Amino acid sequence: MLKGKSIILGITGGIAAYKGAALCSKLVQAGAIVHIIMTESATRFITPLTLQTLSRNPVYIDTFDERDPAVVSHIHLADHADLIVIAPATANAIAKLAGGHADDMLSTTLLAATCPVLVAPAMNVHMYEHPAVVNNLELLAARGVMFVEPGTGQLACGYVAKGRLAEPEDIVLAIESWFGRGGKLKGKRVLVTAGGTMERLDPVRYLTNDSSGKMGFAIAEAALLMGADVTLVAGRTSVAPPAGVKVIRVESAEQMLEAVTGIYDDMDIVVKSAAVADYRAVQISGQKLKKSGEKLVLELERTTDILETLGQRKQNQFLVGFAAETEDIDHYAMDKLRRKHCDLIVANDVSLDGAGFNGDTNIVQIFGSEGLVEAMPLLSKREVAVHLLELIAGRLAYSGGNGK
Ligand code: CTP
């Protein structure tokens, strides 16, 4: 997929610069022609010789170190690149790109480039959440810059939080998505729901579930890389949503219903990966509930089934539901597909190790009106998302419209 593609890999000065070596190696192995541009500070973490050896090309650091009199390096590189990837992208590199600075080889080449740019940020969580960084990321997303979100885990500074550079495999997957599938969902409006809903009992207590939002966020990120215009309706999540998508935050199933039905008519594809509460409290207490007696009985009532509502109102939308099961998957998945008028159901056995809520992996089976379409092995949620969207794009292309 990457054979002959010219990729500039910009490596900036964070500890994750060492992962740039693995990324470079994987891109070269996949057939890409890789030109490395390092910032001065990146050379403090990893040597240019390592990257020259892995990329089999000279490494650029200094704008004025012109080795070939026939060309101006930053213009020549920019003109011949199919894609620029910045991994890791520090807060400073992101700020420079957002501000249009051109004070080193990488920032100057970025200004001269007309090809797409993919940014993989890596930094301390407080830096990542700083309003200046958030603003810069939003500005870049609005300009069409693509992102591979940082992962959550142990950071070099000691925090366990969001900010780790995405794994090189995931960055390669995003790059392949762009080259191989880029444009497959171009012009399509995609709505993804993610996370769990919260049903209030009183001002400080609520009913919720273990959904992290990771599966829905991976779908939103992959749809964006395939050229779609993505809107996320997100409930309670344990990770931040990907940059570049419109996010509508909701709490309850009722709010999610309102948000989703409000924009449904404009959508081409709807993927309902949110874990929506089936019941809510009949009475939400305005005051904190005080304890009294040994037992407390909560009276709950059914929420509206959002997916079923969408299924009933369906015009041309391609509708995808999720089914979390612990037994008899085929039976329950097919039942949900028919009952909720879905085009596809993504079912998983949440009792299996590596599947379901909170983790970074999933094991899913996808059902269509004809029965089982695909049974996937244990894959990262990003890989599941890419496969699912490929399937949707294929069905849309085959039907010339709504998948029917
Ligand atoms: N769903 C929804 N609104 C609800 C409940 C569920 O839109 N009030 C959607 C979920 O987003 C998911 C699908 O329905 O896409 C399946 O959810 P799940 O809870 O597994 O199925 P249910 O139909 O609620 O059936 P059951 O709980 O009996 O398994």
Side-chain angles (χ1 to χ4, degrees):
M1 209 177 274
L2 300 184
K3 203 161 173 41
K5 299 292 181 199
S6 180
I7 299 175
I8 295 177
L9 174 56
I11 301 182
T12 69
I15 179 63
Y18 79 92
K19 288 191 188 171
L23 177 58
C24 173
S25 166
K26 284 181 195 301
L27 292 174
V28 171
Q29 281 170 39
I33 302 156
V34 181
H35 294 284
I36 303 279
I37 304 180
M38 299 176 78
T39 59
E40 279 289 344
S41 35
T43 63
R44 292 175 173 243
F45 292 99
I46 180 165
T47 73
L49 182 61
T50 306
L51 292 155
Q52 175 182 304
T53 311
L54 291 170
S55 69
R56 296 174 210 141
N57 274 314
V59 171
Y60 296 84
I61 302 163
D62 179 359
T63 325
F64 302 102
D65 179 18
E66 293 285 13
R67 289 164 231 177
D68 179 359
V71 298
V72 176
S73 298
H74 62 277
I75 305 295
H76 185 75
L77 280 174
D79 283 351
H80 291 85
D82 295 306
L83 179 73
I84 302 185
V85 180
I86 313 177
T90 58
N92 187 44
I94 288 166
K96 282 182 14 176
L97 182 55
H101 293 223
D103 62 354
D104 61 13
M105 181 66 182
L106 180 60
S107 53
T108 310
T109 308
L110 278 162
L111 275 197
T114 53
C115 66
V117 176
L118 180 73
V119 170
M123 66 198 76
N124 163 272
V125 62
H126 296 315
M127 294 171 77
Y128 190 66
E129 288 169 357
H130 192 286
V133 175
V134 172
N135 280 347
N136 287 335
L137 291 172
E138 282 171 1
L139 190 66
L140 292 176
R143 278 189 210 148
V145 169
M146 300 174 288
F147 293 92
V148 187
E149 292 297 301
T152 300
Q154 181 80 43
L155 303 181
C157 50
Y159 282 84
V160 178
K162 184 163 178 168
R164 277 163 69 105
L165 179 67
E167 291 307 320
E169 297 76 25
D170 285 331
I171 300 175
V172 173
L173 191 69
I175 295 170
E176 286 178 345
S177 285
W178 169 250
F179 281 117
R181 307 173 188 90
K184 274 199 180 175
L185 292 179
K186 199 159 181 57
K188 299 284 179 209
R189 283 152 303 176
V190 177
L191 167 62
V192 182
T193 68
T197 54
M198 289 162 63
E199 304 302 330
R200 291 253 160 228
L201 301 176
D202 70 12
V204 292
R205 301 185 182 95
Y206 51 81
L207 299 172
T208 189
N209 57 61
D210 273 339
S211 175
S212 61
K214 287 179 184 172
M215 190 64 246
F217 288 176
I219 294 168
E221 184 182 88
L224 205 63
L225 284 166
M226 288 168 73
D229 178 4
V230 185
T231 306
L232 246 177
V233 174
R236 180 176 168 273
T237 60
S238 60
V239 290
V245 301
K246 290 177 225 93
V247 184
I248 304 172
R249 281 283 181 186
V250 295
E251 260 199 8
S252 65
E254 198 56 36
Q255 288 172 3
M256 186 171 278
L257 174 72
E258 255 174 54
V260 168
T261 50
I263 51 177
Y264 184 52
D265 289 349
D266 297 329
M267 294 295 148
D268 299 300
I269 300 167
V270 178
V271 184
K272 282 233 65 234
S273 59
V276 185
D278 290 323
Y279 293 91
R280 64 164 166 244
V282 171
Q283 288 275 335
I284 302 175
S285 170
Q287 308 301 326
K288 188 178 163 223
L289 292 166
K290 301 303 269 180
K291 56 182 157 309
S292 64
E294 280 307 303
K295 287 186 180 170
L296 172 73
V297 177
L298 288 173
E299 196 184 351
L300 303 177
E301 63 185 4
R302 286 288 297 270
T303 57
T304 309
D305 192 312
I306 305 169
L307 186 56
E308 202 168 324
T309 308
L310 300 183
Q312 283 158 0
R313 291 197 196 166
K314 197 162 144 192
Q315 294 166 322
N316 292 316
Q317 295 88 347
F318 191 97
L319 191 56
V320 183
F322 270 67
E325 309 292 350
T326 51
E327 55 176 357
D328 222 354
I329 294 190
D330 310 35
H331 171 75
Y332 287 124
M334 288 308 289
D335 173 58
K336 275 174 198 171
L337 181 113
R338 292 191 189 107
R339 204 161 27 91
K340 304 192 187 191
H341 301 102
C342 294
D343 296 288
L344 293 174
I345 282 277
V346 183
N348 53 8
D349 181 343
V350 284
S351 65
L352 293 178
D353 276 352
F357 291 155
N358 245 322
D360 290 321
T361 59
N362 214 345
I363 308 168
V364 308
Q365 296 179 33
I366 301 182
F367 294 84
S369 54
E370 70 272 45
L372 181 66
V373 177
E374 203 173 331
M376 294 183 200
L378 177 78
L379 294 174
S380 72
K381 286 187 172 169
R382 275 189 162 120
E383 287 170 313
V384 172
V386 168
H387 282 295
L388 172 65
L389 288 166
E390 278 266 84
L391 198 66
I392 296 171
R395 291 197 165 210
L396 280 174
Y398 180 72
S399 68
N402 67 359
K404 290 282 172 206

